[in-house]
Every structure is written in structure tokens, then in C-alpha cells.
Amino acid sequence: MFRFPLAVFCLATILVFPAAAGAAEEAPRVKITPIKGPLYELQGSGGNVVASVGDDGVLLIDSDYAEYAPAYEAALAGLSSVPGAPRFLFNTHWHFDHVGGNAYWGEQGTLIAAHDNVYQRMSTRQEMKVFNRVVEPSPAAALPVITYADEVAVHFNGDLVRARHYPHGHTDGDSIIFFTGQNVVHMGDHVFKGAFPFIDIGSGGNAFSFIDNLRAVHGQVNDETVLVPGHGAGFLDRAGLAAYIEVLATTAEYTRAQLAAGKSVEEIAAQDWWEQYASYGQGFIDTASWVSFIAGSL
């Protein structure tokens, strides 16, 4: 048996109960960064959002926390000449920092799309036992109305947008979104840029499948592809994705070997070997948490 470190419990509070003491002190703001063509990255407090803005209107990838929805509406009003709510909203997975704004948009008529398992988890009571948390079902307006088992595509703003399911990565319902014409990919929480990722094992995630999924995406992109992380500032290219995969794969295999040799999670995380990856353990997920995710995936 292994124990999840304190950092994991802190992250659970952020994901499931995002309201913080300082959140009410300052009005939510959204940072806008052009990507290319009709695509923009919008950053509030949760997962990174991508918006396609053009003659067909707005298509969003993810919706951040609920309290940020009006700030996103204001940001989009400054970008789009087409009045009204976004026509489509795709969710990369079910966590609150990515679906919190769903109800705000769903009530205005936005069509929400996600993998089948996202609908299943959002529409039912979820017990996140490792965090001792319960997530109640989302309201009807927040639920996806378009679901898919493997892939769905939308022709929008002159591009073919493909949402493709990658199983048992960050969760069991992750989609990675390909803007095929613009050669831009929203990675969802398959990338925590420059940091060890959160693997929600209780929601069907697995560290080794996560790495396999990244390798699959790496084989589908080219040197001109812009990769948008689920969390973190800035973008990645194909080489950056390869470097991220190398870090995760090397640390996962090292941990697997150490566990097989009888070492505990705590003993492994305390080893000097990890100093070479110290910067990766400075985000939400520290080294001990990453080691525990690997152990929990075996």
C-alpha cells in the first residue's frame, strides 16, 4: 500500500472545490494570446481554453471555473463580430477546472460535446476516495449533448476540428483536439507544461497509458504543429513534446524498477536521483505525488 502525498490533497481541493479565500478579492480576468489564424488561447484560473473565432462564430475548448465564465464572455465579445454565445464547446475531460463554465454557456444554447465517459461522470455522483471528496451531478445545462466513443469532427471557421479520445490517460474520458487546417492541437491535461502531471487514477487514469497516449500524438504531429498544454504558460512544438515524454517515461521506468526492488514510494521520492528533475516537481504535483501515481498505475 502507498499513501498519496499532501500535494495531491491540495490539488484535489483546487480541482473539486476551486473557491479560494483570495478569489473574491479580485475580479476574474482572462488573458488572451493569439495562436494562429482564428485560434486564441484564453487563460483564466483553471485549464487553458482555446477559442476558434470567425465567421461561423465561436467554438471553445474547455470552460475553466464557473466564476470565470462572465470574464470569458467579455473576452470573446472583444474578439468576435458574431453576437451570441459560442456555438460549440468541447470538454477535454470532466474536472471542474475544465467544465465549470459549462452551465453558463449551456443555458445560452451552446452545444456541449465530450467523450461518453465525461457525460457519465458529470451526470452521476462521483466519489473521489483518494481525496475523501464527493462531486455531485452537474446540472442538465452543463452536460454534453453530443457524445462519442472514439472521435467526432466539426467543420468550423474554415477548419476541420477533430476531437479524439485517448483512453486511460489523465482520466478515462480524455479527448485531445486537433485543429487540422491550422495544425494546432489542444492537449488537455495530457500536458502540464514543464511539470509532472496529475493522474486521476480514481477516474480511470493511468500513468503508463498517459505516456503511451503522448507517444501516439507525437507520431501524428509534425515540426510545425503548435501544441497547447492543459496547464502552464506558452506552447510546445513536436520536439518539446518529445522532451516531455522522455522525462515522464524515464521517471516512470525508474520508479517501476525501484518498486520492484522493494522500495517504498517515500523512499523512492527521497532519493538524490530526482534532483535532475527538480523543476518538474515544483508545480501542483511534487515528486512524491508523481511517484505515487506511477505506483498506483501498476
Side-chain angles (χ1 to χ4, degrees):
M1 294 294 290
F2 60 90
R3 293 175 295 169
F4 283 79
L6 178 61
V8 180
F9 288 86
C10 294
L11 178 60
T13 302
I14 293 169
L15 288 173
V16 183
F17 297 99
E25 297 174 2
E26 183 177 343
R29 296 182 180 181
V30 171
K31 178 183 176 183
I32 302 171
T33 303
I35 305 174
K36 62 165 66 173
L39 301 180
Y40 298 84
E41 181 187 51
L42 281 65
Q43 292 175 298
S45 180
N48 294 332
V49 171
V50 168
S52 173
V53 181
D55 292 341
D56 292 334
V58 174
L59 177 150
L60 287 181
I61 310 300
D62 286 335
S63 63
D64 206 325
Y65 291 124
E67 60 266 34
Y68 273 76
Y72 278 93
E73 185 171 44
L76 292 170
L79 293 173
S80 178
S81 60
V82 179
R87 290 181 62 189
F88 296 99
L89 164 60
F90 283 82
N91 291 137
T92 60
H93 61 287
W94 77 278
H95 289 153
F96 267 27
D97 58 329
H98 295 260
V99 306
N102 277 25
Y104 187 88
W105 297 119
E107 289 169 356
Q108 298 183 54
T110 299
L111 293 176
I112 302 172
H115 184 261
D116 293 338
N117 290 341
V118 174
Y119 181 92
Q120 176 62 26
R121 292 194 179 278
M122 290 183 65
S123 63
T124 59
R125 189 175 188 265
Q126 297 295 303
E127 294 186 27
M128 302 182 77
K129 294 181 180 179
V130 70
F131 303 139
N132 194 28
R133 302 292 188 190
V134 171
V135 182
E136 298 296 339
S138 297
L143 297 176
V145 297
I146 301 168
T147 63
Y148 49 90
D150 298 309
E151 181 177 317
V152 69
V154 176
H155 295 267
F156 198 80
N157 286 335
D159 206 342
L160 177 61
V161 185
R162 292 190 179 277
R164 186 174 299 162
H165 178 230
Y166 287 80
H168 301 293
H170 175 62
T171 69
D172 61 6
D174 296 288
S175 291
I176 292 175
I177 316 297
F178 295 79
F179 293 88
T180 59
Q182 296 298 326
N183 199 11
V184 171
V185 180
H186 192 312
M187 296 296 298
D189 277 6
H190 268 81
V191 173
F192 286 63
K193 188 170 180 284
F196 291 133
F198 170 49
I199 308 296
D200 189 352
I201 294 172
S203 292
N206 182 283
F208 295 96
S209 295
F210 184 100
I211 294 166
D212 288 342
N213 292 344
L214 291 177
R215 287 176 171 144
V217 174
H218 183 265
Q220 295 161 5
V221 301
N222 58 44
D223 292 342
E224 305 304 316
T225 306
V226 176
L227 299 141
V228 181
H231 293 274
F235 308 131
L236 289 82
D237 57 13
R238 189 171 188 262
L241 179 60
Y244 189 62
I245 293 168
E246 179 65 21
V247 169
L248 301 188
T250 300
T251 55
E253 291 306 320
Y254 178 81
T255 299
R256 190 207 300 261
Q258 291 294 301
L259 289 166
K263 300 291 185 181
S264 70
V265 166
E266 293 79 8
E267 288 171 332
I268 296 168
Q271 293 172 357
D272 292 342
W273 183 86
W274 290 92
E275 291 179 3
Q276 61 191 309
Y277 302 108
S279 65
Y280 281 82
Q282 294 177 359
F284 285 129
I285 301 304
D286 62 13
T287 298
S289 299
W290 174 233
V291 173
S292 72
F293 295 149
I294 296 165
S297 298
L298 291 172

